[in-house]
mmCIF file of all heavy atoms in Angstrom:
data_model
loop_
_atom_site.group_PDB
_atom_site.id
_atom_site.type_symbol
_atom_site.label_atom_id
_atom_site.label_comp_id
_atom_site.label_asym_id
_atom_site.label_seq_id
_atom_site.Cartn_x
_atom_site.Cartn_y
_atom_site.Cartn_z
ATOM 1 N N SER J 2 59.288 -0.132 131.183
ATOM 2 C CA SER J 2 60.393 -0.575 132.040
ATOM 3 C C SER J 2 59.960 -0.855 133.435
ATOM 4 O O SER J 2 58.864 -0.444 133.877
ATOM 5 C CB SER J 2 61.514 0.507 132.023
ATOM 6 O OG SER J 2 61.126 1.562 132.869
ATOM 7 N N LEU J 14 47.742 3.469 142.908
ATOM 8 C CA LEU J 14 47.351 3.180 144.239
ATOM 9 C C LEU J 14 47.163 4.464 145.081
ATOM 10 O O LEU J 14 46.234 4.475 145.890
ATOM 11 C CB LEU J 14 48.409 2.248 144.902
ATOM 12 C CG LEU J 14 48.415 0.879 144.374
ATOM 13 C CD1 LEU J 14 49.583 0.060 144.963
ATOM 14 C CD2 LEU J 14 47.109 0.122 144.530
ATOM 15 N N VAL J 24 35.776 9.720 149.977
ATOM 16 C CA VAL J 24 34.473 9.097 150.097
ATOM 17 C C VAL J 24 34.189 8.791 151.623
ATOM 18 O O VAL J 24 33.071 9.111 152.076
ATOM 19 C CB VAL J 24 34.392 7.802 149.281
ATOM 20 C CG1 VAL J 24 33.140 7.010 149.618
ATOM 21 C CG2 VAL J 24 34.425 8.119 147.825
ATOM 22 N N GLY J 26 35.823 9.928 154.355
ATOM 23 C CA GLY J 26 35.962 11.063 155.280
ATOM 24 C C GLY J 26 36.740 10.748 156.565
ATOM 25 O O GLY J 26 36.825 11.586 157.433
ATOM 26 N N ASP J 32 41.546 3.662 154.645
ATOM 27 C CA ASP J 32 42.699 2.836 154.465
ATOM 28 C C ASP J 32 42.339 1.387 154.609
ATOM 29 O O ASP J 32 42.777 0.422 153.938
ATOM 30 C CB ASP J 32 43.855 3.144 155.393
ATOM 31 C CG ASP J 32 44.485 4.485 155.052
ATOM 32 O OD1 ASP J 32 44.117 5.072 153.944
ATOM 33 O OD2 ASP J 32 45.339 5.037 155.792
ATOM 34 N N PRO J 48 47.784 -2.960 138.880
ATOM 35 C CA PRO J 48 47.519 -1.531 138.798
ATOM 36 C C PRO J 48 48.029 -0.860 137.534
ATOM 37 O O PRO J 48 47.397 0.061 137.010
ATOM 38 C CB PRO J 48 48.226 -0.959 140.038
ATOM 39 C CG PRO J 48 48.238 -2.091 140.975
ATOM 40 C CD PRO J 48 48.429 -3.339 140.172
ATOM 41 N N ILE J 62 35.184 -0.691 147.093
ATOM 42 C CA ILE J 62 35.182 0.480 147.978
ATOM 43 C C ILE J 62 33.822 1.134 147.979
ATOM 44 O O ILE J 62 33.324 1.497 149.055
ATOM 45 C CB ILE J 62 36.297 1.508 147.562
ATOM 46 C CG1 ILE J 62 37.680 0.871 147.842
ATOM 47 C CG2 ILE J 62 36.134 2.844 148.266
ATOM 48 C CD1 ILE J 62 38.818 1.695 147.174
ATOM 49 N N CYS J 72 30.673 5.726 156.478
ATOM 50 C CA CYS J 72 31.287 7.004 156.156
ATOM 51 C C CYS J 72 31.178 7.977 157.320
ATOM 52 O O CYS J 72 30.146 8.110 157.980
ATOM 53 C CB CYS J 72 30.633 7.649 154.872
ATOM 54 S SG CYS J 72 30.972 6.706 153.456
ATOM 55 N N ASP J 79 39.428 21.937 155.877
ATOM 56 C CA ASP J 79 40.019 22.858 154.924
ATOM 57 C C ASP J 79 38.901 23.318 154.006
ATOM 58 O O ASP J 79 37.765 22.885 154.105
ATOM 59 C CB ASP J 79 41.190 22.227 154.153
ATOM 60 C CG ASP J 79 40.795 21.002 153.384
ATOM 61 O OD1 ASP J 79 39.568 20.761 153.144
ATOM 62 O OD2 ASP J 79 41.658 20.202 152.941
ATOM 63 N N ALA J 84 33.615 22.127 152.121
ATOM 64 C CA ALA J 84 32.551 22.197 151.106
ATOM 65 C C ALA J 84 31.980 20.748 150.833
ATOM 66 O O ALA J 84 30.828 20.641 150.466
ATOM 67 C CB ALA J 84 33.183 22.719 149.755
ATOM 68 N N ASP J 92 26.964 11.318 146.324
ATOM 69 C CA ASP J 92 27.342 12.479 145.493
ATOM 70 C C ASP J 92 28.847 12.719 145.651
ATOM 71 O O ASP J 92 29.541 12.979 144.624
ATOM 72 C CB ASP J 92 26.602 13.731 145.894
ATOM 73 C CG ASP J 92 25.065 13.627 145.602
ATOM 74 O OD1 ASP J 92 24.579 12.634 145.045
ATOM 75 O OD2 ASP J 92 24.389 14.593 145.991
ATOM 76 N N ARG J 93 29.354 12.602 146.854
ATOM 77 C CA ARG J 93 30.753 12.833 147.126
ATOM 78 C C ARG J 93 31.562 11.727 146.449
ATOM 79 O O ARG J 93 32.642 12.054 145.863
ATOM 80 C CB ARG J 93 31.029 12.819 148.663
ATOM 81 C CG ARG J 93 32.354 13.199 149.093
ATOM 82 C CD ARG J 93 32.450 13.424 150.609
ATOM 83 N NE ARG J 93 32.213 12.232 151.359
ATOM 84 C CZ ARG J 93 31.398 12.099 152.382
ATOM 85 N NH1 ARG J 93 30.763 13.140 152.858
ATOM 86 N NH2 ARG J 93 31.270 10.970 153.058
ATOM 87 N N PHE J 104 37.012 9.927 135.547
ATOM 88 C CA PHE J 104 35.940 9.097 134.973
ATOM 89 C C PHE J 104 34.799 9.954 134.503
ATOM 90 O O PHE J 104 34.429 10.903 135.115
ATOM 91 C CB PHE J 104 35.446 8.083 136.019
ATOM 92 C CG PHE J 104 36.361 6.934 136.319
ATOM 93 C CD1 PHE J 104 36.027 6.050 137.284
ATOM 94 C CD2 PHE J 104 37.614 6.789 135.697
ATOM 95 C CE1 PHE J 104 36.826 4.990 137.627
ATOM 96 C CE2 PHE J 104 38.423 5.729 135.981
ATOM 97 C CZ PHE J 104 38.063 4.810 136.941
ATOM 98 N N ILE J 109 31.636 5.979 135.949
ATOM 99 C CA ILE J 109 31.250 6.105 137.358
ATOM 100 C C ILE J 109 30.075 5.222 137.647
ATOM 101 O O ILE J 109 30.014 4.498 138.700
ATOM 102 C CB ILE J 109 30.931 7.556 137.717
ATOM 103 C CG1 ILE J 109 32.177 8.464 137.680
ATOM 104 C CG2 ILE J 109 30.324 7.656 139.146
ATOM 105 C CD1 ILE J 109 31.933 9.918 137.771
ATOM 106 N N SER J 110 29.097 5.176 136.709
ATOM 107 C CA SER J 110 27.959 4.317 136.960
ATOM 108 C C SER J 110 28.370 2.829 136.931
ATOM 109 O O SER J 110 27.727 2.032 137.617
ATOM 110 C CB SER J 110 26.827 4.616 135.911
ATOM 111 O OG SER J 110 27.222 4.218 134.633
ATOM 112 N N THR J 113 29.622 2.397 140.538
ATOM 113 C CA THR J 113 28.640 2.522 141.610
ATOM 114 C C THR J 113 27.458 1.555 141.415
ATOM 115 O O THR J 113 26.727 1.326 142.409
ATOM 116 C CB THR J 113 28.139 3.959 141.725
ATOM 117 O OG1 THR J 113 27.480 4.312 140.500
ATOM 118 C CG2 THR J 113 29.243 4.934 141.993
ATOM 119 N N ALA J 116 22.337 4.022 137.607
ATOM 120 C CA ALA J 116 22.037 4.375 136.238
ATOM 121 C C ALA J 116 22.845 5.617 135.909
ATOM 122 O O ALA J 116 23.205 6.507 136.740
ATOM 123 C CB ALA J 116 20.580 4.709 136.067
ATOM 124 N N VAL J 117 23.237 5.735 134.620
ATOM 125 C CA VAL J 117 24.058 6.912 134.119
ATOM 126 C C VAL J 117 23.316 8.199 134.374
ATOM 127 O O VAL J 117 23.991 9.208 134.831
ATOM 128 C CB VAL J 117 24.328 6.733 132.649
ATOM 129 C CG1 VAL J 117 25.090 7.941 132.094
ATOM 130 C CG2 VAL J 117 25.187 5.505 132.411
ATOM 131 N N GLY J 132 30.681 24.327 144.505
ATOM 132 C CA GLY J 132 30.891 25.654 144.015
ATOM 133 C C GLY J 132 30.239 26.740 144.858
ATOM 134 O O GLY J 132 30.870 27.787 145.101
ATOM 135 N N ALA J 133 29.023 26.464 145.320
ATOM 136 C CA ALA J 133 28.353 27.429 146.124
ATOM 137 C C ALA J 133 29.075 27.691 147.487
ATOM 138 O O ALA J 133 29.088 28.797 148.006
ATOM 139 C CB ALA J 133 26.912 27.008 146.363
ATOM 140 N N ASN J 145 27.247 47.161 135.844
ATOM 141 C CA ASN J 145 26.509 48.431 135.816
ATOM 142 C C ASN J 145 27.194 49.518 136.642
ATOM 143 O O ASN J 145 26.758 50.628 136.688
ATOM 144 C CB ASN J 145 25.088 48.226 136.312
ATOM 145 C CG ASN J 145 24.300 47.404 135.345
ATOM 146 O OD1 ASN J 145 24.532 47.430 134.210
ATOM 147 N ND2 ASN J 145 23.400 46.571 135.939
ATOM 148 N N SER J 146 28.274 49.189 137.393
ATOM 149 C CA SER J 146 28.863 50.212 138.250
ATOM 150 C C SER J 146 30.164 50.705 137.737
ATOM 151 O O SER J 146 30.687 50.336 136.789
ATOM 152 C CB SER J 146 29.066 49.733 139.652
ATOM 153 O OG SER J 146 29.717 48.479 139.689
#
Side-chain angles (χ1 to χ4, degrees):
S2 74
L14 291 175
V24 170
D32 290 353
I62 291 169
C72 294
D79 60 15
D92 293 356
R93 190 169 63 227
F104 286 176
I109 294 169
S110 68
T113 63
V117 175
N145 295 324
S146 49

